[in-house]
């Protein structure tokens, strides 16, 4: 009988180190057995809106995501069936025409700012992590990332952070900390927490490393 894959939810504020923590877990296991799925891939398609309208979208609100599709695709993967996951284009603020094929795995890391917000998504998870990082550190990381990787201007990043990102963090993201099995202060630099998580995943898989 096929074993159900382990689903690990990793959340926290934007720029808080979710991706680094996820990659630290990924690095401890053979590539063919573990994969990361990002909630950002499921931002809603906004092709029907003008570019100016897309820029004004609140991307830190639960309604910005097609979480129904993510849940459907995770359930398909749990049943052992591959899925085609959307690819989001950050420069155009909408879903691209591309998808990528995700095959079933032994472990899935589900990463994103709001992955613990929806109970249906939480209920699919075996381990729930909240990466807890100071606001100042997160805005610095966000500025660096968005300028280097997403072609954003400094003014637009600061405006978006103060008007949307920070208030949405306190309204929707930080409250999901109560659902976490483990809260990880300072993210990937907290090697004790990372080691504990890797040991737990390894024990579930019946592996030793």
């Amino acid at each position: 009988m096929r074993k159900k894959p382990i689903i690990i939810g990793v959340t926290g504020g934007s720029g808080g180190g979710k991706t680094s923590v996820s990659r630290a877990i990924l690095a401890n296991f053979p590539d063919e057995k573990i994969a990361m799925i990002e909630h950002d891939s499921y931002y809603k398609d906004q092709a029907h809106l003008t570019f100016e309208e897309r820029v004004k979208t609140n991307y830190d609100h639960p309604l910005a995501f097609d979480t129904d599709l993510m849940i459907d695709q995770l359930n398909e993967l749990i049943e052992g069936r591959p899925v085609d996951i959307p690819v989001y284009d950050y420069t155009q603020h909408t879903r691209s025409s591309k998808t990528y094929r995700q095959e079933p795995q032994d472990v899935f890391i589900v990463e994103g700012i709001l992955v613990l917000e929806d109970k249906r998504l939480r209920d699919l998870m075996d381990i729930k992590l909240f990466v807890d990082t100071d606001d100042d550190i997160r805005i610095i990381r966000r500025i660096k990332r968005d300028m280097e990787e997403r072609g954003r201007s400094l003014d637009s990043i600061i405006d978006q952070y103060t008007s949307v990102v920070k208030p949405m963090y306190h309204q929707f993201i930080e409250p999901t900390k109560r659902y976490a099995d483990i809260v990880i202060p300072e993210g990937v630099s907290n090697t004790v927490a990372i080691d504990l998580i890797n040991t737990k995943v390894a024990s579930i898989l019946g592996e030793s490393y």
Side-chain angles (χ1 to χ4, degrees), residues 151-205:
R152 308 273 171 82
S153 69
L154 178 59
D155 286 346
S156 72
I157 297 165
I158 292 172
D159 179 62
Q160 186 181 33
Y161 182 82
T162 54
S163 64
V164 177
V165 176
K166 187 174 181 180
M168 291 299 99
Y169 173 78
H170 291 292
Q171 183 175 350
F172 292 112
I173 302 166
E174 190 176 40
T176 68
K177 189 189 298 185
R178 68 182 183 271
Y179 301 120
D181 300 307
I182 302 173
V183 176
I184 308 174
E186 306 310 322
V188 75
S189 62
N190 190 330
T191 55
V192 172
I194 302 299
D195 288 346
L196 283 169
I197 295 157
N198 285 331
T199 301
K200 175 64 174 176
V201 174
S203 71
I204 296 173
L205 288 172

Side-chain angles (χ1 to χ4, degrees), residues 43-55:
Y43 273 126
K44 290 179 178 175
D45 187 2
Q46 300 197 112
H48 61 289
L49 299 177
T50 67
F51 184 82
E52 290 72 22
E53 288 171 328
R54 295 178 210 163
V55 170

